[in-house]
Amino acid sequence: MSEELKNVTATNVTATVKWFKPEKGFGFVRLADGSGEAFLHASVLAAASLPNPVEGTTVVCDLAQGAKGPQVVAIHSATPPETPPAPRARNQRPPRPTASAVQPAFQGEDGGEAMVRAPKPPRERRERSAEPAGPATMAYGTVRWYNLDSQSGLIEPWEEGATVYFDRATLRQSGLDIVADGEDVRYLAVGSEDAPVAQRVELI
């Protein structure tokens, strides 16, 4: 018997799949009693001969306390949602300028109006506030980029939401020297939903 099964803390628990990424090999479920979430690894699905679950799948499972919190160690049943979740559209490009965004600038040599595009609005710089407001939330993501010159970077969350800013100070507080583009991380973010800032970053 595995060490996880020896340390089972709850049996026949009902939960709903929050998300599961086959390419990562794991995901999370929300516990039906509202007590939180639990980690779900692909090996547990394989042991139960179950396919990769979609968001909203209801499972009856056993839980154990892992190194980073509750985790699913056995699944007794899995029921897909009646309506499959719609695919999420992320990082969509803004629409192209319409005719109203094109303004006449001067009269051409043939007497007609020569058209030029309206100037683009200035890009807003994203500044890190000294004391970000809002509750801290733990989540997972992938480093989109980290710039050694500016000593700052962005994390692309695995769930829907805005990219998360972090800098050299955040890495030092987390015991890290540097992170590479494309690395998967676990992070603690604060601030608004539109401009979250990482307070801690861990490699996974």
Side-chain angles (χ1 to χ4, degrees), residues 150-168:
S150 65
Q151 295 191 342
S152 62
L154 291 177
I155 298 170
E156 183 75 29
W158 290 354
E159 297 185 68
E160 187 175 5
T163 53
V164 181
Y165 173 87
F166 70 98
D167 58 17
R168 175 69 169 168

Side-chain angles (χ1 to χ4, degrees), residues 123-139:
R123 294 185 64 182
E124 296 182 1
R125 292 192 61 187
R126 189 172 181 181
E127 300 291 343
R128 179 176 182 177
S129 58
E131 297 182 357
T137 56
M138 183 66 74

Side-chain angles (χ1 to χ4, degrees), residues 51-82:
N52 295 326
V54 297
E55 178 183 343
T57 297
T58 300
V59 297
V60 177
C61 58
D62 295 344
L63 302 178
Q65 188 65 26
K68 294 185 178 181
Q71 64 183 63
V72 178
V73 293
I75 296 179
H76 304 298
S77 66
T79 306
E82 294 183 2

Side-chain angles (χ1 to χ4, degrees), residues 5-201:
L5 292 180
K6 291 179 183 178
N7 298 324
V8 170
T9 56
T11 59
N12 296 318
V13 176
T14 301
T16 303
V17 174
K18 181 180 180 182
W19 56 264
F20 185 85
K21 290 188 175 293
E23 66 274 18
K24 303 293 182 184
F26 63 88
F28 280 85
V29 298
R30 287 192 183 97
L31 305 181
D33 62 4
S35 60
E37 301 175 355
F39 179 80
L40 173 61
H41 194 268
S43 60
V44 179
L45 296 168
S49 300
L50 292 172
N52 295 326
V54 297
E55 178 183 343
T57 297
T58 300
V59 297
V60 177
C61 58
D62 295 344
L63 302 178
Q65 188 65 26
K68 294 185 178 181
Q71 64 183 63
V72 178
V73 293
I75 296 179
H76 304 298
S77 66
T79 306
E82 294 183 2
T83 304
R88 293 174 177 174
R90 299 177 59 188
N91 299 329
Q92 292 182 340
R93 292 179 178 272
R96 291 181 177 275
T98 59
S100 60
V102 181
Q103 302 175 348
F106 56 87
Q107 192 171 29
E109 295 180 358
D110 59 356
E113 287 184 336
M115 310 298 286
V116 296
R117 293 189 180 277
K120 294 182 179 180
R123 294 185 64 182
E124 296 182 1
R125 292 192 61 187
R126 189 172 181 181
E127 300 291 343
R128 179 176 182 177
S129 58
E131 297 182 357
T137 56
M138 183 66 74
Y140 290 80
T142 301
V143 177
R144 178 186 287 185
W145 55 262
Y146 180 69
N147 189 296
L148 291 174
D149 294 329
S150 65
Q151 295 191 342
S152 62
L154 291 177
I155 298 170
E156 183 75 29
W158 290 354
E159 297 185 68
E160 187 175 5
T163 53
V164 181
Y165 173 87
F166 70 98
D167 58 17
R168 175 69 169 168
T170 306
L171 296 180
R172 286 180 175 176
Q173 291 172 5
S174 307
L176 296 176
D177 218 18
I178 192 173
V179 291
D181 297 357
E183 281 194 301
D184 294 334
V185 295
R186 179 184 183 186
Y187 61 88
L188 185 68
V190 296
S192 67
E193 293 183 356
D194 295 331
V197 177
Q199 280 191 327
R200 183 172 180 81
V201 177

